[in-house]
Amino acid sequence: MINYPIKKQARKLTNNLDNTINGMKKAKGMTFEDMLNSSNKYYREENIAIIYKKPTPIKILKVKSFKINYQNKHKIVDARFQEKSTTDYNGIYKGKYIDFEAKQTIYKSFNLASNLHSHQLDHLYKIKMHGGIAFLIIYFQKYDRIFLISIGNIKKFLDKVQKSQIPLQYFEEYGIEIEEGINPRIDYLKAVDLIL
Amino acid sequence: MINYPIKKQARKLTNNLDNTINGMKKAKGMTFEDMLNSSNKYYREENIAIIYKKPTPIKILKVKSFKINYQNKHKIVDARFQEKSTTDYNGIYKGKYIDFEAKQTIYKSFNLASNLHSHQLDHLYKIKMHGGIAFLIIYFQKYDRIFLISIGNIKKFLDKVQKSQIPLQYFEEYGIEIEEGINPRIDYLKAVDLIL
């Protein structure tokens, strides 16, 4: 009979631990996006570049409208997430069109196929063809390292290796490492300068 | 007693007429956006430009997750519309960053203040400052005329007249009229070529 409370406590502890780990993972995950968003905010405020994250594409199915203090309010009560047709970030830097996707991984390699849709890669190739600057920013969580890699070097890898698993070493060789800073948190435009 | 059916009939006719007009307005309204979207699709398919409409910004408050055939599905059950921080359309054309907002009006003038937020105008000014191509496309519904006007000429009007009501004549003088076509439906890049 004594076992029960202990088991319960142990289960509770395990649950708490799980939640903490998940919470940390999530916080880390949010932080990467937050860090990019705050960097973009810095770039805009300092008039260095105008780059925004695009809103998540959503298909709205049902909206309820009502009035509060004589004002029309709308509440979306049914909607679904839609597949992104392009990338997350775009804008202008030094007069050039810029377009990129940011991803993070817990592994020592980046799996292109499980992180990006083929039409997203196609989109980035096309941007390059049209004279824009297209790249990926990859955050290797476990190693706390961030790399920018041009879409040209991604294509080079795929053409040569024909695998979607890109090892960290490839980023070390063909990417540009971005150091974490204070403001901007992720000064990725410094890396962009090197691929312009 | 004979009056009633006639009144009823008249009311029904009026209602039908109202519905028809509203339907036409709506169809016309949808058509303008649809026409722009189909033009952008044409530009992309013909490899002329890569321009997309940004998704509507939405703040998601509650998501319900469930399984269908062992697949995770997500349904947004509470969300609100958010104010746009930028414009509706952006992309790349002839290596240049392009950014614009499209609006329609039933009047013989275009009211800037009631159609665009000041931060949207600021955004377009900044794009121009950074070397991008920034403009508005205005559809005058009643007159069935479409104009592209550069943000520079919008600024010129505001600086001189200091009113937010821009008459159709100003568009005739400083804008570029876009003829409706078959494919693309609104060949606005022809007008962009004139302000490059």
Side-chain angles (χ1 to χ4, degrees):
Chain A
M1 287 289 275
I2 348 162
N3 278 344
Y4 283 99
I6 292 170
K7 260 193 188 167
K8 220 177 181 176
Q9 224 179 324
R11 198 162 53 229
K12 209 180 160 186
L13 263 170
T14 316
N15 281 343
N16 280 350
L17 192 63
D18 278 353
N19 286 340
T20 309
I21 291 167
N22 286 331
M24 274 164 66
K25 271 188 200 160
K26 212 182 162 184
K28 204 73 177 157
M30 304 256 313
T31 303
F32 182 52
E33 199 192 304
D34 285 351
M35 272 158 56
L36 277 173
N37 288 339
S38 87
S39 303
N40 286 335
K41 196 165 171 261
Y42 171 86
Y43 290 144
R44 291 196 302 268
E45 283 169 357
E46 296 296 314
N47 226 7
I48 295 164
I50 317 277
I51 298 159
Y52 281 94
K53 186 178 190 291
K54 284 176 225 163
T56 309
I58 279 160
K59 193 180 182 177
I60 298 163
L61 296 171
K62 200 174 170 190
V63 176
K64 269 191 188 160
S65 299
F66 50 93
K67 282 197 185 207
I68 291 179
N69 296 333
Y70 305 101
Q71 284 208 306
N72 286 318
K73 298 279 175 192
H74 308 284
K75 180 181 167 175
I76 300 157
V77 292
D78 191 2
R80 304 296 148 91
F81 292 102
Q82 278 189 308
E83 208 177 81
K84 281 193 294 175
S85 53
T86 63
T87 45
D88 259 351
Y89 302 88
N90 75 353
I92 186 168
Y93 174 55
K94 291 190 175 171
K96 291 210 167 240
Y97 177 85
I98 221 169
D99 199 306
F100 66 99
E101 187 72 26
K103 291 285 176 191
Q104 55 193 323
T105 178
I106 52 162
Y107 304 107
K108 214 186 169 168
S109 63
F110 178 71
N111 193 316
L112 210 59
S114 62
N115 279 287
L116 270 100
H117 291 286
S118 63
H119 62 258
Q120 290 182 305
L121 272 185
D122 282 345
H123 171 76
L124 288 169
Y125 293 152
K126 277 182 193 156
I127 294 306
K128 184 181 155 65
M129 267 170 46
H130 279 262
I133 311 161
F135 54 88
L136 303 179
I137 297 178
I138 311 296
Y139 173 38
F140 291 89
Q141 272 178 277
K142 248 190 197 160
Y143 308 90
D144 208 18
R145 295 177 72 183
I146 304 166
F147 288 90
L148 181 147
I149 192 159
S150 71
I151 196 65
N153 277 329
I154 291 287
K155 197 170 166 17
K156 205 185 274 173
F157 179 88
L158 291 175
D159 288 348
K160 217 165 79 182
V161 185
Q162 309 201 331
K163 268 187 192 169
S164 83
Q165 199 80 21
I166 312 176
L168 178 58
Q169 295 98 285
Y170 189 80
F171 288 88
E172 289 176 328
E173 199 167 340
Y174 294 98
I176 297 152
E177 187 154 7
I178 306 165
E179 298 292 332
E180 222 178 279
I182 294 164
N183 210 5
R185 293 298 295 272
I186 303 174
D187 196 1
Y188 67 88
L189 289 181
K190 232 189 227 172
V192 167
D193 283 334
L194 299 173
I195 60 161
L196 270 183
Chain B
M1 285 291 274
I2 351 164
N3 277 345
Y4 283 97
I6 292 170
K7 259 193 189 168
K8 221 176 180 176
Q9 224 178 323
R11 198 162 53 229
K12 209 181 161 186
L13 262 171
T14 316
N15 281 343
N16 281 350
L17 192 62
D18 279 352
N19 287 339
T20 309
I21 290 167
N22 286 331
M24 274 166 65
K25 272 187 198 161
K26 212 183 163 183
K28 204 74 174 157
M30 303 256 313
T31 305
F32 183 51
E33 200 191 302
D34 285 350
M35 272 158 54
L36 277 172
N37 288 340
S38 87
S39 303
N40 286 335
K41 196 164 171 264
Y42 172 87
Y43 290 144
R44 290 196 302 268
E45 284 168 357
E46 296 296 315
N47 227 7
I48 295 164
I50 316 276
I51 297 160
Y52 280 95
K53 187 176 189 291
K54 285 177 225 163
T56 309
I58 279 159
K59 191 178 183 178
I60 298 163
L61 297 171
K62 201 176 170 188
V63 177
K64 268 190 189 163
S65 298
F66 50 94
K67 283 198 185 206
I68 292 179
N69 296 333
Y70 305 101
Q71 283 207 307
N72 286 318
K73 297 279 174 192
H74 308 283
K75 180 179 166 176
I76 299 159
V77 291
D78 192 2
R80 305 296 146 91
F81 292 102
Q82 279 189 307
E83 208 176 80
K84 281 193 293 175
S85 52
T86 63
T87 45
D88 259 350
Y89 302 87
N90 76 353
I92 186 168
Y93 174 54
K94 291 190 176 171
K96 291 207 169 242
Y97 176 85
I98 220 170
D99 199 307
F100 66 98
E101 186 73 26
K103 293 285 175 189
Q104 55 193 325
T105 178
I106 51 162
Y107 304 106
K108 214 187 170 170
S109 63
F110 177 71
N111 195 317
L112 210 58
S114 62
N115 279 288
L116 270 100
H117 291 286
S118 63
H119 62 259
Q120 291 181 304
L121 271 185
D122 281 345
H123 171 76
L124 288 169
Y125 292 152
K126 277 181 192 155
I127 294 304
K128 184 181 154 67
M129 267 171 44
H130 280 262
I133 311 161
F135 54 88
L136 303 178
I137 298 179
I138 311 295
Y139 173 38
F140 291 90
Q141 273 177 275
K142 248 190 198 158
Y143 308 90
D144 208 18
R145 295 178 73 183
I146 304 166
F147 289 90
L148 182 147
I149 192 160
S150 71
I151 197 65
N153 277 328
I154 291 287
K155 198 171 164 18
K156 204 186 275 175
F157 179 88
L158 291 175
D159 288 348
K160 216 166 79 181
V161 185
Q162 308 200 332
K163 267 186 192 169
S164 83
Q165 198 81 21
I166 312 177
L168 178 58
Q169 296 98 283
Y170 189 80
F171 289 87
E172 289 176 328
E173 200 167 339
Y174 294 98
I176 298 152
E177 188 153 7
I178 306 166
E179 298 293 333
E180 221 176 280
I182 294 164
N183 210 6
R185 293 298 294 274
I186 304 175
D187 195 1
Y188 66 88
L189 289 181
K190 230 190 227 172
V192 167
D193 282 334
L194 300 173
I195 59 161
L196 271 183

